[in-house]
Amino acid sequence: MAGLNNGTRRLRPNLLITGTPGTGKSTTASALAEATNFRHICVGDLIKEKNLHEGWDDEFQCHVINEDLVCDELEDVMEGGGNIVDYHGCDFFPERWFDRVVVLQTENSFLYDRLTKRGYSGTKLSNNMDSEIFQVLLEEARDSYKEEIVTALQSNTIEDISNNVASLTDWITTWRP
């Protein structure tokens, strides 16, 4: 049941914003946190800051995260509610943590430009493009959470991001445990 956590009710919801790298997760999460006074938790930054990883993957140019350590680190924070978690994966987070799971999606031409500007190339670029084309993160979210809490939102333009933040702010305002 949404809002229930270990027998107690959260007073504020938790949201997960996920999607392929380059879809605007951090931008959206940051703007939403500012609009709602919620805590923005960028899991990628948390992994680096707290060394919640098992080393570096040279092929994909990223840390190999330790999912158990990440979940242990976040457990107490998530219990209180009022969190916007931002990460490109979602299947390892406990289902009970989230009241809304937002999957950002971006058209290929926009995504390709964003990722190449970040310096993505080779395997990293092609894997992320394939992930978006085949809607891997949307399927992962649908497989991991109740259908009624998973929402896919377009994130191609600044206007899309503004509309998404406004819509999610409205949802937070009307949310009830």
Side-chain angles (χ1 to χ4, degrees):
M1 179 184 277
L4 287 180
N5 192 7
N6 296 332
T8 62
R9 290 189 178 266
R10 287 192 290 268
L11 298 177
R12 300 185 305 166
N14 288 322
L15 291 85
L16 172 62
I17 299 180
T18 190
T20 304
T23 56
K25 294 178 302 298
S26 295
T27 301
T28 301
S30 180
L32 183 59
E34 187 173 320
T36 60
N37 290 318
F38 273 37
R39 179 184 301 116
H40 173 203
I41 301 169
C42 180
V43 174
D45 291 345
L46 185 70
I47 290 166
K48 290 179 222 164
E49 290 167 13
K50 304 275 186 163
N51 291 315
L52 306 175
H53 59 83
E54 298 171 356
W56 184 256
D57 183 320
D58 286 327
E59 181 181 7
F60 292 101
Q61 296 295 299
C62 64
H63 287 102
V64 178
I65 74 163
N66 183 316
E67 296 171 353
D68 291 334
L69 289 178
V70 170
C71 289
D72 289 347
E73 183 69 29
L74 291 174
E75 184 69 45
D76 291 340
V77 172
M78 297 304 293
E79 192 172 305
N83 300 294
I84 301 165
V85 176
D86 151 17
Y87 194 60
H88 62 264
C90 66
D91 61 349
F92 66 95
F93 295 119
E95 183 179 5
R96 70 181 183 280
W97 281 2
F98 299 108
D99 304 289
R100 186 84 181 256
V101 176
V102 177
V103 181
L104 296 180
Q105 297 182 306
T106 301
E107 291 177 20
N108 295 335
S109 59
F110 291 104
L111 186 61
Y112 183 85
D113 291 346
R114 290 177 192 171
L115 293 179
T116 55
K117 283 180 186 170
R118 289 183 181 184
Y120 284 36
S121 62
T123 302
K124 187 171 185 174
L125 176 61
S126 63
N127 279 6
N128 282 294
M129 292 300 298
D130 287 348
S131 177
E132 188 66 7
I133 290 165
F134 295 111
Q135 299 187 347
V136 171
L137 273 296
L138 181 58
E139 288 305 311
E140 184 177 306
R142 287 179 174 158
D143 290 344
S144 302
Y145 302 95
K146 293 176 186 166
E147 182 181 341
E148 62 268 15
I149 73 165
V150 176
T151 305
L153 296 175
Q154 283 299 304
S155 184
N156 296 316
T157 65
I158 296 297
E159 183 179 357
D160 289 340
I161 292 171
S162 295
N163 290 338
N164 293 340
V165 168
S167 171
L168 293 169
T169 299
D170 288 345
W171 179 84
I172 287 170
T173 303
T174 61
W175 181 84
R176 297 290 174 252

